[in-house]
Amino acid sequence: MWLKPDEILLKNAFKLWVTEEDNEYFVLQRRRGYGEGGGGLTGLLVGTLDTVLDSTSKVAPYRILHHTPDSQVYWSIACGVTKEEIVQHWDWLQQNVMRTLSVFDSSEDITSFVQGKIRGLIAEEGKTSLVLEEDPEKFREALLRFEKWFELPPKEKLVTYYSCSYWRGKVPCQGWLYLSTNFLCFYSYLLGAEVKLIISWDEIWRLEKTSNVILTESIHVLVHGEDHYFSMLMHLNETFVIMEQLADYSIKRLFDKEAFQREPALSDPLQITKRGLEAHAKSEQFRTFFRLPKEENLLEVHESFLWVPFSHYNTLGKICLSESYLCFASQDGSQCHVIIPMREVINVEKSDSSNRALTVCVRGKRALRFSEVRDYQRLANTIRSRCGISASPQHSASSEAIRGECQSLINHFEDNPEDVTLMVGQKDSSKAVSTEALMTVFHPQDVENLDPKMLKEKMKEQSWNIHFSEYGRGTSMFFTRKTRDLIVRGVPEALRGELWMLFSGAVNDMATHPGYYTDLVEQSLGTSTLATDEIERDLHRSLPEHPAFQSDTGISALRRVLTAYAYRNPKIGYCQAMNILTSVLLLYAKEEEAFWLLVAVCERMLPDYFNRRIIGALVDQAVFEDLIRENLPQLVEHMTDLSFFSSVSLSWFLTLFISVLPIESAVNVVDCFFYDGIKAILQLGLAVLDYNMGALISCHDDAEAVTILNKFFDSVTNKDSPLPSTVQQASLGGTDKTSRFNVDISELIREAYEKYGNIRSEDVESSRKRNKLHVIQTLEDTTKQNVIRVVTQEVRFSPSHLDGLYNLFKRQHFLCCYWTMKSPALLHHDPSLAYLEQYQLGFQQFSVLFSLLEPWAFCNTKSALSLWVFRLIDENQDGLINFKEFCYALDTLYSGSFTNKLKFLFKLHLPPAFDLPQDGVIKKSPERGRGKVDLQAYLKQWQNEILKKEETIKDLPRIDQTQFIQFSKTLYNIFHGDPEEESLYRAVAHVTSLLLRMEEVGRRLQEPSSPSESSKPAAVDEGEPSTEEASTTPGSSDTSSSRNSQDAGADLTETDWSFSFEQVLASLLNEPTIVRFFERPVDVQTKLAQARVAQLKLKVNK
């Protein structure tokens, strides 16, 4: 590797370096302790220095120095890990530089030329790979060490590195932590003790910051039951965040199959950088906080003050700019934020240069004034360009009019701060869809009804209208602490749909996708998939006693929304609980609005909730358990196993309490959820447990605790609900109303916010990331245990060996996905399938793994042999091998009897393994997860497996001459390199010769046979030995040609001959050398250990 020329004094390095070659201008040196004569005390000391000190010159074993005859100064210009690498550089210098140096007159010119040449080479190398790194020169040095120490495939991308200590028991090892796209690596070398650690991100169970008496602060990594601690990091928080981001990136890419198409920084695993990860994390946090679509990325951040009209003061905060939105969030504790879609901006004015202020005018006679913006002119131009507003001083008449209107509005507002009515926004009138909200159809409000509940409802509406007049209405409304207070008190029925759309961000999705839902409905109706079948089954289970869903109007709307979403997002399709949630959305929102609300919930607010494994819900239950430990210690002391609450609370999270609370109470919970996200559900869950603390502590078993919670939910009411009793009764589903006490939902929510409102959304997101690793690995471990339990009944491997095989099998699947986003192997992983089918290998993956594990270490035709093995065990010919099929093949080759091993090899040379074309393996590879599952086919396959009788040697077909020749070649190949190779070769030659002579004798015996063919088979059947029988039963066409031919020698060359397995087996059994070879035991544990080490070093062929 070429290095930036660095001046060194050679005399200080004589004790550490040995000169290998030199000439007038260059010196090639080797580091003491490396290469020939290395080791000893010098090698130990040098190796320790190389690890601890951060310098390439102290790490690379070889280097090239430049000098001139009349100078004592030397310049390091290249280094290398191997002698071959450094010799290449040396030869290049000899051929391309040495001849040129003779034309220079002075030493200064020579040195200047060499330095310029080397810098040019470095610049050329770094054009593509290192241009995004913060310090390319230091990064190149770290990359050199990374490649040298860990020997990972060249494609593996190093992201960053840190100096730290790794704790082995109670002893710290000082070394270097390397974080790459797919691996966490650590290396230490102290006085001969080498510590090397390589961990895949997808294998990590837990990643967290910890502290104890010995380690004040450290990073804890749990992998396969082993704890790893890293401490003494100068930037521990930064290191932990990067580790968390890489683990999350790996989980999303490998398990969730996310392609990051909208994020160029993460779309290619070969180009991941620390800067790209940080940008992704900021964008994700930005989208989550402001509830923006996934397409938005954080582009710019500016500190500024925003004039808040309702408070009459400037609040400090940050302007966040994305492709389509201008957002502001305060930082002074006022909890004020505002979201301005670029489509709403009509002008941007730089109103006051002394205050570096700019004013953004939006539709609805609204203006927002930002001041003390450092780069306010560039920001104004950026907003103009994104909104399509001309920045030219020559405005059209209409532009001048808009500008004048905005300026007059600003002046009036500043002169008359009390007149905030000018800030009233207009509700955006979006195109109405064909249906209204079901609540307005089945329960229209009676304007003349003046009962207490309706009066209170009107008062709520008035409170919100006042709020709108002060804070604005629609997409550019100010969100403040007062907004949350109104939410907690309850949202009026008439405003619920509008506010849900606003708080969830669904209003922006719908505004930017006009006509999308209508088109989707037209495309999806009439389709037949597994999702549509499940939707039809659940339609009449969705709020079945509510009048809206007792009619075709409500059922049809529900069907359209669910079917359209399943068509839009086949990755999720349809999951139970979506029907309940969508039913409630349809009650208060129009059909199209309900669809976009469902999109917001499933894809942004509750990620990974609605899939086959409900990972998101399980993650949030783990977060809930953590919060119980922090906030309800009394309950934890009484119930040490909190998994009970996970099972009980699953429906709380999946349906947002809709399935356990009366509908009139549940909608209040949904109000809070759309404003505060999952934080609102967690708070309410804690409040429910806190309310029932005494009863839960005194209960004796889980069943009693469930009864207590069910009775509590039955007692929750909404005393302010204007819904008629018929609707309320329908939502309760016939529960007992004779409870001695009632709990008002508004009081319960208020108590939840008062006691647990200090839970921060940032902490919830961090806890989600931490627990997601554990949840996914627990599910993966459950899959592994179930697979091993099934497979162990059919093979002779021990459970520990099967565990190791499964880990290798699974890693081989992921190895094809590590360095590309478009690996077909990702399509082979479908968690919704049966356990055995979740991980499957295609041929290329299988061949690599089989070459590591096959018992014949010296086989030199691995590709052909592995191809035949693959075809043989791929019984359904779908081009994929599951773990059971893989273990069956290995079990036969490792532990099978001589007969079984030979039978396996024999079958490799019969169809379908041998006769298929060499270049084709996959006949079909069905698309998974989208189409209908053919249950009849599964049942039939299951029945066939049960009824399938064990294959005997008599069932095997005969092997013809082409197949037998290849069979003989295969035996020669697998014997190659064996200590008894010569004896084995002679044995095979003897068996082959014997079988051919038997065939020849059989043919000669056929020549004088009578023309009547019917008597010959009878004679054979009566008493011929098995070998004679085999040799005298060629096909009738062969017999006919034998009779008609005049020359017996010519006949042998023209006709086919074949052998039965019994003949081959009997012949080989007479060769003790061959029998010993096949019955030689295989050390499975050693084989697995070697495969684990070598697996990462093998390149997967595409």
Side-chain angles (χ1 to χ4, degrees):
M1 183 176 78
W2 299 110
L3 298 176
K4 181 180 177 182
D6 187 24
E7 182 178 336
I8 63 171
L9 294 176
L10 185 64
K11 63 182 180 181
N12 294 334
F14 271 140
K15 295 180 181 179
L16 295 178
W17 294 92
V18 178
T19 298
E20 295 273 299
E21 293 187 47
D22 64 346
N23 57 38
E24 190 177 0
Y25 299 108
F26 299 103
V27 180
L28 189 156
Q29 293 184 320
R30 171 178 56 83
R31 191 122 169 108
R32 287 189 185 273
Y34 293 91
E36 298 177 3
L41 181 60
T42 304
L44 292 179
L45 293 173
V46 172
T48 300
L49 282 172
D50 291 346
T51 305
V52 175
L53 299 179
D54 182 17
S55 169
T56 301
S57 61
K58 296 186 177 68
V59 171
Y62 299 93
R63 70 179 182 181
I64 296 175
L65 306 178
H66 163 67
H67 73 107
T68 52
D70 56 349
S71 173
Q72 296 298 316
V73 178
Y74 288 76
W75 301 84
S76 64
I77 59 172
C79 65
V81 176
T82 63
K83 189 165 185 178
E84 291 76 15
E85 180 185 358
I86 205 69
V87 166
Q88 283 184 356
H89 287 51
W90 180 263
D91 291 342
W92 188 90
L93 289 170
Q94 299 295 319
Q95 296 169 12
N96 298 279
V97 178
M98 281 296 293
R99 296 174 184 175
T100 311
L101 297 183
S102 60
V103 304
F104 294 100
D105 297 328
S106 67
S107 299
E108 290 80 7
D109 291 342
I110 292 174
T111 301
S112 177
F113 174 78
V114 171
Q115 289 180 353
K117 193 71 175 175
I118 300 302
R119 288 194 179 97
L121 292 171
I122 293 173
E124 192 65 30
E125 284 181 358
K127 273 185 179 178
T128 55
S129 58
L130 304 174
V131 69
L132 297 176
E133 305 302 339
E134 294 176 357
D135 188 342
E137 186 61 33
K138 287 193 70 176
F139 196 84
R140 290 174 80 248
E141 298 175 5
L143 185 60
L144 177 73
R145 298 194 299 271
F146 177 71
E147 292 173 347
K148 168 194 166 186
W149 285 336
F150 302 108
E151 299 180 299
L152 293 170
K155 290 183 179 180
E156 182 62 16
K157 175 67 172 67
L158 177 65
V159 176
T160 188
Y161 59 98
Y162 300 95
S163 173
C164 73
S165 289
Y166 169 64
W167 290 78
R168 299 183 73 186
K170 296 182 180 180
V171 180
C173 303
Q174 184 64 31
W176 290 90
L177 178 69
Y178 294 88
L179 308 179
S180 66
T181 305
N182 299 295
F183 301 99
L184 178 157
C185 305
F186 176 83
Y187 186 86
S188 172
Y189 184 89
L190 295 174
L191 299 178
E194 183 182 60
V195 179
K196 187 184 294 186
L197 188 69
I198 302 176
I199 298 172
S200 301
W201 294 113
D202 55 87
E203 296 176 340
I204 293 179
W205 280 67
R206 192 167 288 281
L207 179 63
E208 58 191 353
K209 287 189 288 187
T210 59
S211 60
N212 54 40
V213 178
I214 300 176
L215 305 176
T216 53
E217 206 171 12
S218 63
I219 296 175
H220 172 220
V221 180
L222 177 64
V223 183
H224 295 309
E226 295 183 9
D227 294 298
H228 305 276
Y229 291 92
F230 302 92
S231 66
M232 300 184 191
L233 286 143
M234 189 171 293
H235 306 289
L236 187 136
N237 289 329
E238 176 191 310
T239 308
F240 178 75
V241 168
I242 294 292
M243 292 170 72
E244 199 174 48
Q245 289 168 354
L246 283 168
D248 186 58
Y249 174 67
S250 180
I251 291 295
K252 287 181 177 178
R253 191 163 61 89
L254 300 177
F255 290 98
D256 300 342
K257 304 179 187 176
E258 192 168 326
F260 300 95
Q261 293 177 346
R262 300 186 182 95
E263 298 182 67
L266 300 184
S267 60
D268 184 0
L270 305 182
Q271 300 297 329
I272 299 298
T273 62
K274 179 180 170 185
R275 190 181 303 170
L277 286 170
E278 291 171 348
H280 168 71
K282 289 177 181 176
S283 292
E284 201 170 47
Q285 188 178 9
F286 165 69
R287 287 190 297 265
T288 301
F289 183 82
F290 292 108
R291 304 277 168 76
L292 298 179
K294 285 188 174 182
E295 296 82 7
E296 298 303 313
N297 291 300
L298 182 61
L299 302 178
E300 297 179 21
V301 178
H302 301 267
E303 280 198 357
S304 77
F305 287 90
L306 171 64
W307 174 254
V308 185
F310 43 85
S311 300
H312 312 311
Y313 76 98
N314 284 308
T315 180
L316 175 65
K318 287 187 176 179
I319 299 172
C320 301
L321 194 68
S322 71
E323 289 88 347
S324 307
Y325 295 88
L326 171 68
C327 306
F328 177 88
S330 65
Q331 293 179 293
D332 57 3
S334 63
Q335 298 179 7
C336 169
H337 71 272
V338 63
I339 304 165
I340 308 169
M342 295 292 188
R343 64 180 184 274
E344 298 289 321
V345 177
I346 57 175
N347 202 7
V348 180
E349 291 297 326
K350 293 176 283 188
S351 53
D352 188 351
S353 58
S354 61
N355 292 332
R356 294 178 295 182
L358 59 92
T359 302
V360 179
C361 302
V362 298
R363 289 189 177 88
K365 297 184 178 180
R366 301 270 325 272
L368 293 95
R369 185 173 186 272
F370 301 96
S371 58
E372 300 300 331
V373 184
R374 178 175 297 177
D375 200 356
Y376 74 103
Q377 292 184 341
R378 190 176 65 81
L379 177 60
N381 293 333
T382 302
I383 297 173
R384 283 198 190 103
S385 64
R386 294 199 172 276
C387 299
I389 302 170
S390 173
S392 171
Q394 289 83 23
H395 295 300
S396 63
S398 59
S399 299
E400 287 291 347
I402 293 172
R403 179 180 177 181
E405 180 184 348
C406 290
Q407 191 58 49
S408 63
L409 177 65
I410 296 162
N411 294 337
H412 177 84
F413 178 72
E414 290 177 343
D415 296 339
N416 305 281
E418 70 283 353
D419 189 8
V420 293
T421 55
L422 284 177
M423 295 298 292
V424 178
Q426 303 299 320
K427 182 180 175 182
D428 186 52
S429 57
S430 60
K431 232 178 182 180
V433 291
S434 58
T435 58
E436 291 294 321
L438 295 178
M439 196 62 80
T440 62
V441 176
F442 289 91
H443 177 51
Q445 289 192 9
D446 187 357
V447 181
E448 297 180 358
N449 184 358
L450 297 178
D451 65 18
K453 288 187 177 181
M454 286 304 300
L455 285 174
K456 195 158 188 177
E457 187 75 3
K458 295 294 180 187
M459 291 173 63
K460 281 185 184 177
E461 288 186 29
Q462 186 61 29
S463 298
W464 275 96
N465 286 328
I466 294 172
H467 183 79
F468 291 148
S469 67
E470 294 182 0
Y471 298 86
R473 185 171 187 172
T475 51
S476 302
M477 184 178 85
F478 283 89
F479 295 82
T480 66
R481 189 182 286 110
K482 187 175 179 181
T483 313
R484 178 181 280 114
D485 293 340
L486 286 174
I487 292 287
V488 172
R489 289 184 218 162
V491 174
E493 298 279 316
L495 296 175
R496 187 159 272 137
E498 175 190 344
L499 293 175
W500 285 358
M501 290 288 290
L502 180 63
F503 297 150
S504 66
V507 63
N508 293 315
D509 290 327
M510 194 168 88
T512 53
H513 295 83
Y516 176 83
Y517 173 68
T518 307
D519 295 339
L520 211 57
V521 169
E522 291 176 359
Q523 295 167 19
S524 62
L525 283 182
T527 57
S528 178
T529 63
L530 178 61
T532 57
D533 287 352
E534 292 178 342
I535 289 169
E536 289 297 326
R537 184 188 64 206
D538 289 346
L539 282 177
H540 296 278
R541 303 177 187 173
S542 312
L543 304 184
E545 297 187 21
H546 194 288
F549 298 100
Q550 294 172 353
S551 71
D552 186 59
T553 303
I555 293 294
S556 296
L558 181 60
R559 177 186 291 112
R560 287 192 293 270
V561 172
L562 291 174
T563 306
Y565 185 78
Y567 190 84
R568 163 192 165 88
N569 191 346
K571 184 178 175 182
I572 292 177
Y574 170 77
C575 180
Q576 283 190 338
M578 288 173 67
N579 60 320
I580 298 173
L581 176 61
T582 308
S583 300
V584 174
L585 298 179
L586 283 166
L587 290 178
Y588 293 97
K590 299 173 184 178
E591 187 178 317
E592 184 178 5
E593 293 174 340
F595 169 79
W596 288 111
L597 284 168
L598 184 64
V599 169
V601 171
C602 294
E603 298 177 14
R604 289 201 300 272
M605 302 186 72
L606 296 179
D608 297 327
Y609 260 61
F610 301 101
N611 53 37
R612 296 292 175 186
R613 300 201 290 180
I614 55 171
I615 289 174
L618 296 176
V619 169
D620 283 344
Q621 284 181 301
V623 175
F624 187 49
E625 285 185 22
D626 291 345
L627 291 173
I628 292 174
R629 291 187 185 93
E630 291 177 20
N631 296 281
L632 302 173
Q634 288 178 295
L635 197 59
V636 176
E637 288 175 12
H638 179 72
M639 303 181 73
T640 53
D641 183 12
L642 297 183
S643 60
F644 161 75
F645 295 111
S646 294
S647 58
V648 170
S649 63
L650 182 60
S651 61
W652 305 358
F653 291 96
L654 280 174
T655 66
L656 309 179
F657 283 93
I658 295 170
S659 63
V660 294
L661 286 176
I663 188 66
E664 72 275 9
S665 302
V667 290
N668 285 36
V669 179
V670 179
D671 296 339
C672 299
F673 167 74
F674 277 123
Y675 190 82
D676 274 322
I678 195 63
K679 174 175 174 283
I681 305 300
L682 295 167
Q683 290 174 181
L684 185 60
L686 291 173
V688 168
L689 297 181
D690 190 16
Y691 199 97
N692 295 278
M693 177 83 75
L696 289 172
I697 288 177
S698 62
C699 67
H700 299 91
D701 54 35
D702 291 353
E704 188 177 347
V706 171
T707 304
I708 289 168
L709 291 173
N710 286 341
K711 285 184 177 179
F712 171 77
F713 287 128
D714 291 345
S715 69
V716 175
T717 61
N718 188 348
K719 62 184 180 182
D720 298 333
S721 175
L723 296 179
S725 57
T726 54
V727 174
Q728 294 189 28
Q729 286 291 341
S731 62
L732 289 172
T735 54
D736 184 13
K737 291 281 285 184
T738 60
S739 184
R740 289 180 300 170
F741 65 93
N742 287 325
V743 181
D744 184 63
I745 187 63
S746 297
E747 291 297 317
L748 186 63
I749 290 175
R750 184 182 58 77
E751 187 175 331
Y753 272 90
E754 286 179 356
K755 286 188 174 181
Y756 309 109
N758 59 346
I759 297 173
R760 297 170 65 244
S761 297
E762 294 82 359
D763 295 336
V764 171
E765 288 301 319
S766 177
S767 183
R768 272 179 161 179
K769 286 182 180 179
R770 183 174 65 253
N771 284 290
K772 185 175 182 180
L773 292 172
H774 187 263
V775 166
I776 286 182
Q777 296 297 356
T778 302
L779 291 172
E780 290 293 308
D781 192 60
T782 302
T783 299
K784 178 171 72 172
Q785 297 305 325
N786 282 300
V787 169
I788 290 175
R789 188 165 56 249
V790 171
V791 174
T792 194
Q793 300 171 8
E794 312 217 1
V795 297
R796 283 159 289 225
F797 287 119
S798 67
S800 63
H801 290 160
L802 283 174
D803 188 277
L805 277 172
Y806 185 90
N807 291 335
L808 287 169
F809 190 87
K810 179 179 169 182
R811 176 186 265 190
Q812 192 61 45
H813 162 82
F814 282 136
L815 277 174
C816 290
C817 315
Y818 278 167
W819 300 287
T820 178
M821 281 291 188
K822 298 178 180 179
S823 170
L826 283 175
L827 299 176
H828 304 164
H829 177 223
D830 189 347
S832 66
L833 295 176
Y835 290 122
L836 271 173
E837 308 298 322
Q838 288 189 19
Y839 286 103
Q840 301 186 89
L841 301 183
F843 168 65
Q844 296 293 350
Q845 301 164 289
F846 168 83
S847 63
V848 174
L849 187 57
F850 184 74
S851 69
L852 293 173
L853 293 170
E854 62 177 345
W856 310 299
F858 299 98
C859 174
N860 59 7
T861 56
K862 291 176 181 175
S863 58
L865 187 64
S866 60
L867 176 62
W868 300 334
V869 174
F870 183 86
R871 290 167 172 170
L872 178 63
I873 61 180
D874 182 18
E875 294 182 358
N876 60 356
Q877 294 186 9
D878 66 346
L880 300 172
I881 298 297
N882 64 34
F883 183 66
K884 181 180 177 182
E885 294 166 333
F886 182 75
C887 286
Y888 170 77
L890 279 185
D891 181 59
T892 302
L893 298 177
Y894 278 21
S895 310
S897 64
F898 174 75
T899 303
N900 286 336
K901 289 179 180 178
L902 194 63
K903 183 169 73 171
F904 189 86
L905 286 173
F906 189 84
K907 290 169 69 175
L908 290 181
H909 300 83
L910 295 171
F914 186 71
D915 279 356
L916 293 176
Q918 292 287 326
D919 58 345
V921 180
I922 297 178
K923 288 288 186 183
K924 55 181 179 178
S925 184
E927 189 175 11
R928 305 182 179 280
R930 297 190 185 184
K932 295 179 71 172
V933 176
D934 190 346
L935 297 178
Q936 294 294 332
Y938 269 109
L939 289 172
K940 189 174 180 181
Q941 181 182 350
W942 183 39
Q943 184 182 25
N944 291 337
E945 288 180 1
I946 293 174
L947 298 177
K948 187 167 66 174
K949 65 177 181 177
E950 187 174 352
E951 186 181 54
T952 66
I953 59 176
K954 291 184 180 293
D955 297 326
L956 292 174
R958 299 173 67 82
I959 191 168
D960 65 26
Q961 60 186 25
T962 305
Q963 295 162 349
F964 180 74
I965 292 170
Q966 186 58 58
F967 176 77
S968 303
K969 288 181 179 178
T970 300
L971 289 178
Y972 281 123
N973 287 325
I974 65 175
F975 296 153
H976 178 67
D978 190 84
E980 297 185 84
E981 178 181 353
E982 194 172 331
S983 301
L984 289 165
Y985 280 0
R986 282 200 299 268
V988 173
H990 181 261
V991 168
T992 305
S993 176
L994 177 64
L995 287 170
L996 290 172
R997 283 201 302 271
M998 289 167 56
E999 176 64 19
E1000 186 178 354
V1001 170
R1003 290 184 181 280
R1004 288 179 178 176
L1005 288 173
Q1006 287 179 336
E1007 289 178 8
S1009 60
S1010 63
S1012 175
E1013 297 184 14
S1014 59
S1015 61
K1016 181 177 64 178
V1020 171
D1021 290 339
E1022 285 176 5
E1024 286 288 339
S1026 61
T1027 54
E1028 292 293 320
E1029 175 189 348
S1031 62
T1032 56
T1033 54
S1036 59
S1037 61
D1038 297 339
T1039 308
S1040 174
S1041 62
S1042 176
R1043 287 197 308 269
N1044 296 333
S1045 176
Q1046 298 296 325
D1047 185 0
D1051 176 67
L1052 277 172
T1053 59
E1054 293 173 5
T1055 59
D1056 291 334
W1057 40 265
S1058 62
F1059 302 112
S1060 70
F1061 176 71
E1062 291 169 295
Q1063 288 177 286
V1064 176
L1065 175 62
S1067 302
L1068 289 173
L1069 279 172
N1070 290 323
E1071 299 295 334
T1073 313
I1074 294 178
V1075 175
R1076 281 199 308 270
F1077 176 86
F1078 281 108
E1079 290 186 344
R1080 190 182 302 160
V1082 178
D1083 187 345
V1084 181
Q1085 197 62 41
T1086 303
K1087 204 75 178 173
L1088 292 177
Q1090 292 171 349
R1092 275 195 297 271
V1093 174
Q1095 192 175 31
L1096 289 176
K1097 299 179 182 179
L1098 285 181
K1099 292 179 68 176
V1100 179
N1101 297 321
K1102 293 186 179 178

